[in-house]
Amino acid sequence: NSYSFLSSIHKLKKEIQNMKKNIFFRAVLLMLMGNMAFAAGDSQNTISSQQVETSVVQAKEKIEGNLNKVENSVKAKKGKLDKFISKVKGKSWKLVWDDEFNGDRLDSTKWAYWENGNPWNAGNYVDENGKLVNQYGFDAKQYYLRDNVKVENGNMVITLKKENDKKVNVDGVERKILYSSGAIHTRNLYNVKYGKIEMRAAMPKGIGTWPAFWLWPEGYSQASGKPAMGEIDIVETYGYKMNRVTGTAHVLKSDNTYKSFGGNAYRISRWSKEKLTDFNTYSIEWDDKEIKWLFNDKVYKRLSYKEIEKNGLQNPFNQPYFIMINVALSKKTGEDGDVDFPTEMKVDYVRVYQKK
C-alpha cells in the first residue's frame, strides 16, 4: 500500500544519508592514521602517503557503489509509488460536468453573463459629480460587460479595458464607467454539491487586477435581500502579489457579517517555474467533512467543518452551489499606471468531478 511505499523510501533515504557520513568519516580516519605514521619518522613509516591515498580511494569507491545501488532502489520504489497514486486518482474521480471552451461563443446551456442583477450588481459607475457609486462593493472600479467575454482559440477570455467615455444604462440613466471587465456564472443552469471543481487558467497581472473562481449557494442572488449563507473562493489572485494563490471559505454570522477561514496561501518561490501568468490548475476537493484547496494538484490548505462548529457557526457547505468566474479591479487600479490595459484572464477549461 502507499504507506509501506513511503516508509520504504524514507528508510532508504536515511541509509543514503548515513552512507554519505561514513564516506567522510572513513576518509578522515585513514588520513589521521597516515599522519600518525608519518609523525613517527621516516625510519618507522608503516603507511606511505600513496598507501593512504589508495585506501581512501578504494573505500570511497566501495561505499559510492553501495550508495548508487540504494539510490537506484529509491528511484524504483518512487516510480512504483507514482504509478500507484496515479492509478488511485484515476479510479477515484469521475468527470460529471465540464466546459473545454472549444467553440466560438459562450455555451448558454452552461453559463450566463453577469448582468441585470444576476447574480449581483454588474459593477460600479461614476455619478454626475465624478464620484464612484459603490453599488458592487469594495470600491471596485470595474463594470462587467458581456462584450468583454469571448470564447476563442480554445479559451474563455475575459478582457479588462480602461474606458475613456464609455457609458452604460443603470436604472434607465446613462452612467459613465472607468473600466470594463467580464464575468460569467452557472446560476439556474448548474449546481454542484461535493466533488472536485477545477479550473485551468492564466491570470492577469498588475496592481488592482483581482480574478476569482468561486461559488455561491444554489439560487442565491442580490434579489435575496441578504448576504449568502456561505461562499467558497476556490482561488483569488492579486495582481500586486503574483507569487501568492489564496483560497478562502466565508460563513455568515448572526450579525450578517462573515467569518472568513483563510488559512495559508500557496506561495511561489522566485526560482519556481510556476508563473501565475501561465496556465495553472486551481481546484477544491469538497466532501461532507472538509474542503481542500489545491494548486497544480498540490494541497495547500484544508478546512474541517469541525473548525466552523468550534466558532459557534452553522456549516453552510452541505448544500449545492453554483460556479462563478470574474475579474474585478480593486480601488487601487490606475493609481500608479501599473496595469498595461487591455489585459486578459484566459480559462482553458472548467471541470467538475465526483467520487465514483
Side-chain angles (χ1 to χ4, degrees):
N1 58 31
S2 60
Y3 177 77
S4 61
F5 275 133
L6 290 169
S7 297
S8 299
I9 288 175
H10 181 68
K11 185 177 179 181
L12 288 168
K13 282 183 176 179
K14 290 199 76 172
E15 288 181 23
I16 291 172
Q17 292 173 349
N18 290 334
M19 283 187 172
K20 286 180 177 177
K21 288 180 182 177
N22 285 338
I23 290 174
F24 174 75
F25 287 129
R26 288 192 185 193
V28 171
L29 181 62
L30 286 168
M31 291 299 293
L32 287 172
M33 288 171 62
N35 288 340
M36 288 172 65
F38 299 148
D42 290 340
S43 60
Q44 298 181 13
N45 255 349
T46 57
I47 303 176
S48 70
S49 61
Q50 187 175 358
Q51 287 175 313
V52 171
E53 186 176 344
T54 301
S55 298
V56 170
V57 170
Q58 288 174 344
K60 186 176 179 182
E61 286 176 350
K62 185 176 180 180
I63 294 170
E64 285 184 340
N66 290 333
L67 190 61
N68 288 333
K69 289 180 182 178
V70 174
E71 286 180 334
N72 288 334
S73 178
V74 169
K75 288 178 182 177
K77 291 277 188 182
K78 188 177 184 302
K80 289 181 181 179
L81 179 62
D82 288 342
K83 287 181 182 178
F84 174 79
I85 291 172
S86 177
K87 193 175 180 181
V88 169
K89 278 187 175 181
K91 286 184 176 179
S92 61
W93 295 110
K94 178 184 178 182
L95 185 67
V96 296
W97 186 92
D98 72 310
D99 196 338
E100 306 295 317
F101 300 112
N102 288 329
D104 58 3
R105 66 188 64 187
L106 195 67
D107 187 341
S108 61
T109 67
K110 296 180 178 180
W111 303 97
Y113 295 100
W114 188 310
E115 58 189 4
N116 302 320
N118 180 23
W120 196 259
N121 285 317
N124 294 332
Y125 60 90
V126 175
D127 66 15
E128 55 275 9
N129 298 315
K131 184 179 178 182
L132 189 73
V133 177
N134 191 31
Q135 62 167 5
Y136 177 87
F138 308 107
D139 290 322
K141 291 187 175 179
Q142 88 289 337
Y143 199 96
Y144 299 137
L145 300 175
R146 65 165 56 201
D147 288 345
N148 290 51
V149 179
K150 303 288 184 186
V151 176
E152 56 188 14
N153 303 318
N155 299 311
M156 187 277 292
V157 182
I158 295 176
T159 302
L160 297 84
K161 302 177 183 177
K162 184 175 183 179
E163 303 290 356
N164 293 319
D165 195 30
K166 182 78 173 180
K167 293 183 179 178
V168 296
N169 188 298
V170 180
D171 299 327
V173 180
E174 292 294 304
R175 299 292 192 180
K176 183 179 179 181
I177 61 172
L178 300 173
Y179 300 89
S180 61
S181 183
I184 59 175
H185 61 87
T186 67
R187 181 177 178 267
N188 295 335
L189 294 169
Y190 179 74
N191 300 285
V192 55
K193 178 184 177 183
Y194 304 149
K196 180 173 183 177
I197 306 164
E198 181 176 81
M199 172 182 74
R200 183 172 184 265
M203 301 302 198
K205 65 178 180 178
I207 293 174
T209 58
W210 182 12
F213 177 45
W214 52 305
L215 312 177
W216 261 344
E218 179 179 5
Y220 176 74
S221 75
Q222 181 182 12
S224 304
K226 58 182 179 180
M229 290 296 294
E231 176 181 315
I232 303 173
D233 298 329
I234 300 174
V235 64
E236 292 176 286
T237 65
Y238 303 92
Y240 71 94
K241 194 170 285 189
M242 293 296 284
N243 67 337
R244 188 177 71 174
V245 176
T246 64
T248 313
H250 305 278
V251 178
L252 190 66
K253 299 189 294 183
S254 58
D255 63 357
N256 278 346
T257 62
Y258 284 103
K259 167 68 178 175
S260 297
F261 296 87
N264 296 325
Y266 183 92
R267 297 187 183 277
I268 301 172
S269 76
R270 68 174 66 181
W271 298 281
S272 174
K273 292 181 179 179
E274 294 172 327
K275 306 293 181 186
L276 296 188
T277 50
D278 295 334
F279 282 97
N280 299 281
T281 59
Y282 306 88
S283 59
I284 56 167
E285 292 180 6
W286 169 29
D287 60 28
D288 59 354
K289 293 182 176 62
E290 67 172 359
I291 302 171
K292 294 188 290 188
W293 282 260
L294 301 88
F295 175 67
N296 289 334
D297 277 330
K298 294 170 284 190
V299 176
Y300 66 92
K301 70 166 283 186
R302 299 170 184 258
L303 173 64
S304 167
Y305 302 148
K306 290 181 179 179
E307 187 177 345
I308 295 173
E309 292 163 5
K310 284 178 184 177
N311 282 268
L313 299 171
Q314 185 177 348
N315 172 32
F317 304 123
N318 55 3
Q319 59 183 307
Y321 278 62
F322 66 89
I323 301 169
M324 296 169 282
I325 304 173
N326 71 290
V327 185
L329 289 166
S330 78
K331 62 182 180 181
K332 293 182 178 180
T333 304
E335 291 180 1
D336 56 7
D338 186 64
V339 183
D340 186 16
F341 289 104
T343 188
E344 298 174 334
M345 174 189 186
K346 294 182 179 180
V347 180
D348 179 26
Y349 64 72
V350 176
R351 296 173 183 169
V352 178
Y353 303 85
Q354 291 190 327
K355 291 283 187 180
K356 290 184 178 178

